[in-house]
Amino acid sequence: EAVVSTQSTGRHKYPTGSGRITFSCRESYTNAIVANFVQIDSKKISKKIQIEPCIDGQKCCSCQQDEAPNFCKEEQCFEYFCNSCWQKHHKFGRVTHVPIRRKNRFEL
């Protein structure tokens, strides 16, 4: 269950295509990330939105040192990893896991 959702807007109050959601519990958050979409229903709108984990400033779950630009949404992992630890952690038995990576603003 989503408790609060906000949509980001630019300086002219036009939606930027991103926003934030606060979930009532970790289970709701986990389910939303795994499903990749959430249905938002309120008095003003009803909309299906794509959900991605926030990848901005998190530390690697393994080394706790480096910034983690990769997130693994597979149930066995469900953690943030730096590039080096991603390679180590996903070398054997988890090669099919696909990282969700921070997007460069200039990527198409």
Side-chain angles (χ1 to χ4, degrees):
E1 176 181 1
V3 179
V4 177
S5 66
T6 58
Q7 186 172 21
S8 300
T9 58
R11 63 181 174 164
H12 298 292
K13 304 295 182 201
Y14 191 79
T16 62
S18 65
R20 294 186 181 268
I21 295 181
T22 302
F23 293 94
S24 61
C25 62
R26 181 164 175 85
E27 182 182 11
S28 294
Y29 166 73
T30 302
N31 291 340
I33 295 296
V34 170
N36 207 34
F37 288 92
V38 167
Q39 181 68 36
I40 301 291
D41 293 309
S42 73
K43 293 177 186 175
K44 294 183 179 183
I45 66 163
S46 180
K47 192 173 193 175
K48 188 174 186 176
I49 58 172
Q50 184 177 5
I51 298 292
E52 292 181 352
C54 179
I55 303 177
D56 188 25
Q58 281 75 12
K59 293 287 183 195
C60 176
C61 70
S62 187
C63 70
Q64 298 291 316
Q65 299 296 314
D66 294 331
E67 193 171 302
N70 306 294
F71 181 80
C72 185
K73 73 176 188 176
E74 298 295 330
E75 190 176 351
Q76 307 95 314
C77 299
F78 212 80
E79 289 285 356
Y80 295 91
F81 295 93
C82 66
N83 292 328
S84 175
C85 289
W86 177 275
Q87 295 301 324
K88 290 179 210 169
H89 190 77
H90 291 86
K91 188 181 282 186
F92 302 107
R94 296 180 179 165
V95 294
T96 59
H97 293 195
V98 177
I100 297 173
R101 293 201 164 116
R102 180 182 317 135
K103 292 183 176 75
N104 184 328
R105 289 200 289 172
F106 304 107
E107 288 180 9
L108 296 176

